[in-house]
Amino acid sequence: METEVSGPNRPLVVRLARADEVPHFNALLDEHHFLGHHLFGRILRYIATEGEDWVGLVGFGSAALTLGPRDRYIGWDAAATRRRLRYVSNNQRYCVLPSARRPNLASQVLSRTLRRLSHDMEAAYGHRVLLVETFTDPARHLGTCYKASNFHVAGETSGYGRRNGSWVYHGNKKMCWLYPLARDASKILSDPFDHPLLSAQSQRSAQ
């Protein structure tokens, strides 16, 4: 499955990375993203290309175990969080490569990646994704491409992180952005009854 949009000269294609492309994907993130290539959880890697050239890298993984702004937005309790956290995906890495930067490219790549994310997650892991979360560091960037792709700011993180199984205050507060992939995503995730989007296949995948 590929997604194409009109670029200035060549079509922009967004696709899943092949297994043999992962080392190059990782090396580029190590070179061009301040957090490097490490992704965790239920991972999907996307490559955006124009012709033969790689222009963008997008990485998704499992959602944060606890996240105040997200959890308040959804309105779920601890039991619902444990049961349904897999329906939330974290955009853990996003990088437009320096040689390819041009106006609107970042939001074009991100928007079209989001259109296929739930389908790809179901194909890979047996369940859909209803909500995407991500973080931006205000000291580094303003999250302009997320705003242009209709993410909304849910709030600020607390400045704590997990280290060796414990919560440690590091003081580096980030902005939490959310993007629902389904109508009434927060209600579906918090409701005591299972919505049809939480399919039997999805339930089996967690067992």
Side-chain angles (χ1 to χ4, degrees):
M1 179 179 177
E2 297 183 346
T3 304
E4 295 190 8
V5 298
S6 298
N9 300 304
R10 298 167 294 177
L12 175 68
V13 176
V14 178
R15 61 175 176 81
L16 286 167
R18 302 189 308 266
D20 65 302
E21 295 174 318
V22 171
H24 187 48
F25 182 101
N26 291 345
L28 287 173
L29 279 182
D30 286 338
E31 181 178 359
H32 298 293
H33 196 289
F34 72 100
L35 292 176
H37 77 268
H38 181 66
L39 304 173
F40 61 87
R42 300 185 177 193
I43 296 169
L44 291 178
R45 299 176 178 87
Y46 291 92
I47 300 168
T49 64
E50 289 180 338
E52 298 298 317
D53 298 328
W54 291 22
V55 299
L57 310 171
V58 191
F60 292 86
S62 295
L65 292 177
T66 61
L67 178 58
R70 176 204 66 202
D71 296 341
R72 288 189 293 270
Y73 168 83
I74 295 173
W76 55 9
D77 58 21
T81 303
R82 288 192 297 271
R83 291 174 54 217
R84 294 176 176 161
L85 189 62
R86 61 190 176 277
Y87 300 107
V88 182
S89 185
N90 190 306
N91 176 209
Q92 297 175 1
R93 298 291 184 274
Y94 185 31
C95 179
V96 174
L97 297 175
S99 61
R101 289 174 184 165
R102 58 175 171 81
N104 303 317
L105 178 63
S107 58
Q108 288 176 351
V109 171
L110 184 58
S111 295
R112 282 137 182 100
T113 305
L114 292 170
R115 290 180 186 176
R116 57 176 296 167
L117 175 63
S118 190
H119 170 86
D120 292 335
M121 189 66 72
E122 185 165 23
Y125 296 104
H127 63 86
R128 299 173 175 89
V129 172
L130 304 186
L131 185 70
V132 176
E133 67 186 30
T134 195
F135 308 105
T136 57
D137 185 342
R140 291 181 174 271
H141 54 86
L142 300 176
T144 303
C145 68
Y146 291 110
K147 184 176 181 180
S149 300
N150 296 317
F151 279 72
H152 73 271
V153 175
E156 191 176 59
T157 65
S158 62
Y160 283 83
R162 294 281 287 181
R163 184 179 302 167
N164 299 324
S166 301
W167 290 101
V168 178
Y169 183 72
H170 51 66
N172 185 20
K173 296 183 179 182
K174 299 179 181 179
M175 300 307 297
C176 172
W177 299 75
L178 299 175
Y179 182 89
L181 293 175
R183 181 176 295 181
D184 297 326
S186 60
K187 184 178 185 302
I188 294 170
L189 290 169
S190 62
D191 197 275
F193 302 101
D194 286 337
H195 188 277
L197 287 177
L198 310 179
S199 66
Q201 181 183 12
S202 301
Q203 298 295 340
R204 288 196 298 271
S205 71
Q207 296 177 356

